[in-house]
Tab-separated table of all heavy atoms in Angstrom:
chain	number	residue	atom	x	y	z
A	27	THR	N	2.263	65.663	14.103
A	27	THR	CA	3.666	65.777	14.376
A	27	THR	C	3.894	66.239	15.887
A	27	THR	O	3.186	67.096	16.393
A	27	THR	CB	4.380	66.747	13.497
A	27	THR	OG1	5.789	66.790	13.837
A	27	THR	CG2	3.843	68.151	13.483
A	29	LEU	N	6.999	67.234	16.643
A	29	LEU	CA	8.248	68.016	16.594
A	29	LEU	C	8.172	69.337	17.330
A	29	LEU	O	9.159	69.704	18.068
A	29	LEU	CB	8.613	68.186	15.169
A	29	LEU	CG	9.975	68.846	14.889
A	29	LEU	CD1	11.123	68.006	15.471
A	29	LEU	CD2	10.239	69.028	13.430
A	32	ILE	N	8.725	68.739	20.973
A	32	ILE	CA	10.077	68.354	21.256
A	32	ILE	C	11.028	69.501	21.205
A	32	ILE	O	11.923	69.621	22.027
A	32	ILE	CB	10.523	67.235	20.192
A	32	ILE	CG1	9.773	65.917	20.411
A	32	ILE	CG2	12.066	67.014	20.245
A	32	ILE	CD1	9.917	64.893	19.371
A	33	ILE	N	10.884	70.428	20.170
A	33	ILE	CA	11.711	71.615	20.132
A	33	ILE	C	11.446	72.432	21.411
A	33	ILE	O	12.383	73.000	21.990
A	33	ILE	CB	11.286	72.382	18.885
A	33	ILE	CG1	11.744	71.600	17.609
A	33	ILE	CG2	12.013	73.766	18.868
A	33	ILE	CD1	11.354	72.266	16.312
A	76	MET	N	10.178	59.026	19.853
A	76	MET	CA	10.873	58.143	18.858
A	76	MET	C	10.617	56.667	19.112
A	76	MET	O	10.713	55.810	18.232
A	76	MET	CB	12.417	58.353	18.864
A	76	MET	CG	12.863	59.771	18.369
A	76	MET	SD	12.222	60.178	16.666
A	76	MET	CE	10.765	61.100	16.997
A	82	PRO	N	6.331	59.671	11.281
A	82	PRO	CA	6.949	59.779	9.998
A	82	PRO	C	8.394	59.847	10.034
A	82	PRO	O	9.045	60.359	11.005
A	82	PRO	CB	6.355	61.055	9.419
A	82	PRO	CG	5.123	61.357	10.271
A	82	PRO	CD	5.406	60.771	11.597
A	83	GLY	N	9.095	59.322	8.974
A	83	GLY	CA	10.585	59.327	8.964
A	83	GLY	C	11.141	60.719	8.991
A	83	GLY	O	12.179	60.903	9.598
A	84	GLY	N	10.511	61.654	8.346
A	84	GLY	CA	11.017	62.989	8.324
A	84	GLY	C	11.024	63.572	9.649
A	84	GLY	O	11.970	64.383	10.089
A	85	GLU	N	10.047	63.354	10.472
A	85	GLU	CA	9.983	63.854	11.877
A	85	GLU	C	11.057	63.253	12.714
A	85	GLU	O	11.718	63.882	13.515
A	85	GLU	CB	8.628	63.598	12.475
A	85	GLU	CG	8.487	64.163	13.932
A	85	GLU	CD	7.196	63.735	14.605
A	85	GLU	OE1	6.190	63.548	13.907
A	85	GLU	OE2	7.225	63.739	15.797
A	86	ARG	N	11.291	61.933	12.442
A	86	ARG	CA	12.313	61.293	13.213
A	86	ARG	C	13.729	61.849	12.926
A	86	ARG	O	14.503	62.089	13.862
A	86	ARG	CB	12.374	59.675	12.946
A	86	ARG	CG	11.121	59.066	13.414
A	86	ARG	CD	11.277	57.553	13.174
A	86	ARG	NE	10.036	56.804	13.419
A	86	ARG	CZ	9.608	56.376	14.621
A	86	ARG	NH1	10.360	56.617	15.613
A	86	ARG	NH2	8.434	55.738	14.735
A	87	ALA	N	14.016	62.056	11.668
A	87	ALA	CA	15.256	62.676	11.288
A	87	ALA	C	15.416	64.078	11.810
A	87	ALA	O	16.535	64.443	12.329
A	87	ALA	CB	15.403	62.664	9.726
A	88	ALA	N	14.387	64.873	11.734
A	88	ALA	CA	14.387	66.241	12.300
A	88	ALA	C	14.604	66.254	13.802
A	88	ALA	O	15.354	67.007	14.360
A	88	ALA	CB	13.149	66.958	11.926
A	89	THR	N	14.023	65.270	14.446
A	89	THR	CA	14.165	65.148	15.900
A	89	THR	C	15.604	64.875	16.406
A	89	THR	O	16.102	65.537	17.293
A	89	THR	CB	13.223	64.091	16.439
A	89	THR	OG1	11.827	64.452	16.240
A	89	THR	CG2	13.365	63.915	17.968
A	90	VAL	N	16.186	63.927	15.685
A	90	VAL	CA	17.630	63.642	16.100
A	90	VAL	C	18.549	64.779	15.906
A	90	VAL	O	19.464	65.031	16.635
A	90	VAL	CB	18.111	62.353	15.406
A	90	VAL	CG1	17.231	61.153	15.786
A	90	VAL	CG2	18.194	62.500	13.944
A	91	VAL	N	18.303	65.599	14.817
A	91	VAL	CA	19.102	66.811	14.546
A	91	VAL	C	18.782	67.830	15.683
A	91	VAL	O	19.758	68.484	16.149
A	91	VAL	CB	18.779	67.348	13.186
A	91	VAL	CG1	19.432	68.755	12.998
A	91	VAL	CG2	19.263	66.441	12.112
A	92	VAL	N	17.580	68.030	16.072
A	92	VAL	CA	17.234	68.999	17.110
A	92	VAL	C	17.905	68.654	18.453
A	92	VAL	O	18.502	69.472	19.099
A	92	VAL	CB	15.698	69.028	17.251
A	92	VAL	CG1	15.282	69.777	18.583
A	92	VAL	CG2	15.039	69.712	16.069
A	93	ILE	N	17.885	67.427	18.722
A	93	ILE	CA	18.483	66.894	19.965
A	93	ILE	C	19.996	67.142	19.917
A	93	ILE	O	20.636	67.553	20.884
A	93	ILE	CB	18.217	65.440	20.242
A	93	ILE	CG1	16.670	65.347	20.447
A	93	ILE	CG2	18.906	64.968	21.515
A	93	ILE	CD1	16.038	66.226	21.487
A	94	GLY	N	20.619	66.754	18.781
A	94	GLY	CA	22.082	67.029	18.644
A	94	GLY	C	22.491	68.446	18.815
A	94	GLY	O	23.450	68.737	19.494
A	95	LEU	N	21.699	69.349	18.225
A	95	LEU	CA	21.953	70.801	18.355
A	95	LEU	C	21.760	71.287	19.729
A	95	LEU	O	22.384	72.154	20.258
A	95	LEU	CB	21.192	71.549	17.331
A	95	LEU	CG	21.595	71.416	15.842
A	95	LEU	CD1	20.667	72.181	14.927
A	95	LEU	CD2	23.096	71.924	15.675
A	177	MET	N	24.473	63.668	13.074
A	177	MET	CA	23.210	63.121	13.472
A	177	MET	C	22.459	62.606	12.267
A	177	MET	O	21.795	61.488	12.365
A	177	MET	CB	22.367	64.198	14.210
A	177	MET	CG	23.004	64.683	15.484
A	177	MET	SD	23.459	63.357	16.619
A	177	MET	CE	21.871	62.719	17.109
A	178	LEU	N	22.419	63.328	11.167
A	178	LEU	CA	21.743	62.834	9.947
A	178	LEU	C	22.471	61.597	9.419
A	178	LEU	O	21.729	60.581	9.014
A	178	LEU	CB	21.707	63.915	8.888
A	178	LEU	CG	20.690	64.984	9.013
A	178	LEU	CD1	20.877	66.093	7.951
A	178	LEU	CD2	19.267	64.392	9.019
A	181	TYR	N	21.503	58.606	11.598
A	181	TYR	CA	20.159	58.198	11.395
A	181	TYR	C	20.006	57.476	10.058
A	181	TYR	O	19.447	56.339	10.014
A	181	TYR	CB	19.206	59.421	11.388
A	181	TYR	CG	17.852	59.076	11.018
A	181	TYR	CD1	16.982	58.545	11.931
A	181	TYR	CD2	17.376	59.279	9.687
A	181	TYR	CE1	15.647	58.227	11.602
A	181	TYR	CE2	16.043	58.938	9.348
A	181	TYR	CZ	15.194	58.370	10.282
A	181	TYR	OH	13.894	58.040	9.910
A	195	ALA	N	16.150	56.101	14.591
A	195	ALA	CA	16.005	57.296	15.478
A	195	ALA	C	16.414	56.859	16.899
A	195	ALA	O	17.144	57.637	17.599
A	195	ALA	CB	14.540	57.796	15.485
A	199	LEU	N	19.628	58.475	18.978
A	199	LEU	CA	19.476	59.111	20.333
A	199	LEU	C	20.302	58.372	21.320
A	199	LEU	O	20.864	59.014	22.232
A	199	LEU	CB	18.016	59.113	20.681
A	199	LEU	CG	17.101	60.052	19.935
A	199	LEU	CD1	15.681	60.027	20.585
A	199	LEU	CD2	17.615	61.533	20.023
Side-chain angles (χ1 to χ4, degrees):
T27 179
L29 187 60
I32 291 172
I33 294 174
M76 294 301 97
E85 181 185 338
R86 294 186 188 276
T89 296
V90 299
V91 170
V92 167
I93 298 308
L95 289 176
M177 298 307 293
L178 279 177
Y181 174 81
L199 289 183

